[in-house]
Amino acid sequence: MAVLAAGALVWGLAATPALADNIRDQQWALQAYEATTKVWPISQGDGVTVAVIDTGVLASHQDLMGQILPGADFSGDQSDGRVDKDGHGTGMASLIAGHGHGDQAQDGVMGLAPNAKILPLRIALGSLGDVQAGPDSRFPDALRYAVDHGAKVVNMSFAGAMRTSPDDRAAISYAVAHDVVLVAGTGNLGSVVSYPAAFPGVVAVGAIDRQGNVWDHSNRGPEVTLVAPGVGIASAGNKSTTDYRYADGTSDSTAYVSAIAALVRAKYPALSAGQVIRRMITSAAAPPDHSQVPNDRYGYGIASPSKALAPNPAVDNGPKDNPLLTRVESQGAPDSSSPVAVPQAAGGSHGGGGGTPAWLYGAGGGVFVLLVLGVTFLVRRARRTAPVSAAVPTGVPVPGVYPPQQPHQAQYPQPHPQSPYPPQQYDPGADPRAR
């Protein structure tokens, strides 16, 4: 079995509970997406189960109570997945289906699909400087469990060396064959796209900042499908029922794209997983640098929930198959006679000293790296994090005070009136990266 790690994962560092209204103010992604006016009146994820394969979920968190279904624990502990010793899984669940708390639910974390349900599936993710998972992590078992227990979307906010594992590939194929939307983070080394995101059929998600620029450490390559907010993200933590975290990484952007998939599946339940993916990639917003898409940094562009939910008869009446199944793997498929060499990682290490050193990618060339990946399944978890405090972190823009809300929007924060991301339509059939 391949070694796994929570790519872009962050430790939920202990912090005094932040003021909940500050937490909501820091959720810039909801404002950029104009969630209150353009998303939630159309869909809130009702009736859709999103499996979160991760470190578990603290079901008693004030922003998640009632949202977390009984799941399963594949880490060796006896639990139903509704415990979290790390905090990462709790954070991802809150970005997908958090409902906030307090007067009219205006405090705490609001997920992008607040009425979706979370199926928590805990796998072995241990910490040794960086977070790694051993061969007993049982990812294939967790994924098959998700499929067999009604998950229509699976969030995989981790990255690892899974390329040569037939069990991992078979589990991915099983999920695709059973009409499940699979979403995974590209990883946080500024290198090639990690697995499971690199598997054909999986929506591979990179991270962008508030201005729509790709995060420096977001992995890139032909597998990148979409990018989404992943810098300066506040989410629920596991230290207490009122704990919050603040972090950067592709894990968070993955959770937002999983939420978009849930929104679309709730609004259009008759669509296949492939059609849901097509809706997301054909409606993605244009990169702010005006680069041609698809490309190795932005994929098809910035994931847009409102555009993904808009009428799209061309997709709805079109092919039902997964459009990502023919996608090339930059590291080379296991039976490839000419695997692609892994480029040197940008910057060597970052984020509390947890990154993979650059020499690992340069020394010995690509063949050496592939050997290391295949034999040792080295996985790194490199995501910068900081405790959430009542004050907004330095350098992170703060939204203004929300204006009075309309009655039908009373339970949600009022976003900025204009989204910073322009819409762009794109024909996936013209993707030159598909082979």
Side-chain angles (χ1 to χ4, degrees):
M1 164 138 357
V3 175
L4 305 179
L9 285 179
V10 201
W11 286 266
L13 298 182
T16 55
L19 295 178
D21 56 350
N22 278 347
I23 293 297
R24 184 65 58 82
D25 286 348
Q26 292 178 48
Q27 288 196 268
W28 63 267
L30 299 182
Q31 300 152 21
Y33 281 149
E34 300 181 271
T36 301
T37 57
K38 293 188 175 181
V39 179
W40 293 328
I42 301 171
S43 177
Q44 296 176 27
D46 296 77
V48 175
T49 296
V50 180
V52 174
I53 301 179
D54 214 295
T55 61
V57 177
L58 180 63
S60 59
H61 193 282
Q62 61 185 348
D63 296 340
L64 287 169
M65 292 183 65
Q67 299 298 94
I68 313 303
L69 303 171
D73 193 326
F74 298 92
S75 72
D77 289 345
Q78 298 297 317
S79 83
D80 62 0
R82 293 186 289 187
V83 297
D84 186 1
K85 298 178 181 179
D86 178 276
H88 185 265
T90 299
M92 300 308 101
S94 71
L95 296 178
I96 297 168
H99 52 50
H101 67 275
D103 184 28
Q104 298 180 327
Q106 294 187 54
D107 297 337
V109 173
M110 181 70 75
L112 190 55
N115 287 353
K117 297 295 184 183
I118 300 295
L119 180 67
L121 301 175
R122 187 168 176 235
I123 58 176
L125 292 170
S127 178
L128 291 172
D130 287 337
V131 171
Q132 302 177 349
D136 59 346
S137 56
R138 297 179 61 193
F139 162 71
D141 295 334
L143 181 53
R144 288 175 181 272
Y145 184 99
V147 175
D148 294 342
H149 288 79
K152 302 303 291 182
V153 179
V154 176
N155 186 85
M156 300 178 289
S157 288
F158 53 83
M162 308 165 70
R163 182 178 70 87
T164 59
S165 168
D167 290 340
D168 293 336
R169 284 186 179 269
I172 293 289
S173 297
Y174 181 77
V176 171
H178 284 78
D179 196 46
V180 176
V181 177
L182 302 176
V183 188
T186 60
N188 308 318
L189 294 176
S191 184
V192 295
V193 175
S194 300
Y195 290 85
F199 283 127
V202 178
V203 179
V205 184
I208 57 170
D209 63 18
R210 191 184 182 107
Q211 287 72 42
N213 300 314
V214 175
W215 184 46
D216 288 344
H217 300 292
S218 184
N219 288 1
R220 51 208 66 190
E223 300 94 340
V224 178
T225 311
L226 295 163
V227 293
V231 178
I233 306 298
S235 62
N238 72 319
K239 301 304 181 184
S240 71
T241 59
T242 60
D243 182 41
Y244 295 94
R245 297 145 42 92
Y246 183 83
D248 305 331
T250 60
S251 285
D252 303 275
S253 53
T254 298
Y256 277 123
V257 172
S258 291
I260 294 173
L263 294 170
V264 175
R265 302 217 84 164
K267 175 65 176 177
Y268 303 99
L271 296 184
S272 69
Q275 290 169 318
V276 171
I277 294 171
R278 281 190 167 88
R279 271 183 167 267
M280 293 194 294
I281 63 180
T282 59
S283 62
D289 63 2
H290 307 294
S291 57
Q292 183 178 359
V293 295
N295 61 54
D296 289 357
R297 295 166 59 246
Y298 284 92
Y300 291 95
I302 301 170
S304 170
S306 61
K307 296 294 182 182
L309 289 167
N312 194 337
V315 168
D316 297 353
N317 297 320
K320 295 180 178 294
D321 62 300
N322 187 316
L324 306 178
L325 287 175
T326 57
R327 185 179 62 194
V328 66
E329 293 180 57
S330 61
Q331 297 182 44
D335 57 355
S336 171
S337 59
S338 302
V340 178
V342 180
Q344 180 173 337
S349 65
H350 63 89
T356 301
W359 62 264
L360 181 59
Y361 294 92
V367 174
F368 172 79
V369 173
L370 289 176
L371 177 61
V372 173
L373 290 175
V375 176
T376 67
F377 300 113
L378 178 64
V379 180
R380 313 304 297 170
R381 173 187 186 179
R383 176 181 182 181
R384 296 173 293 180
T385 184
V388 176
S389 64
V392 178
T394 302
V396 179
V398 185
V401 176
Y402 299 120
Q405 302 168 342
Q406 298 299 320
H408 72 282
Q409 300 168 354
Q411 69 186 106
Y412 305 119
Q414 179 69 30
H416 292 315
Q418 297 294 329
S419 170
Y421 308 137
Q424 173 167 344
Q425 299 295 321
Y426 191 84
D427 177 10
D431 185 358
R433 303 178 303 176
R435 299 291 187 268

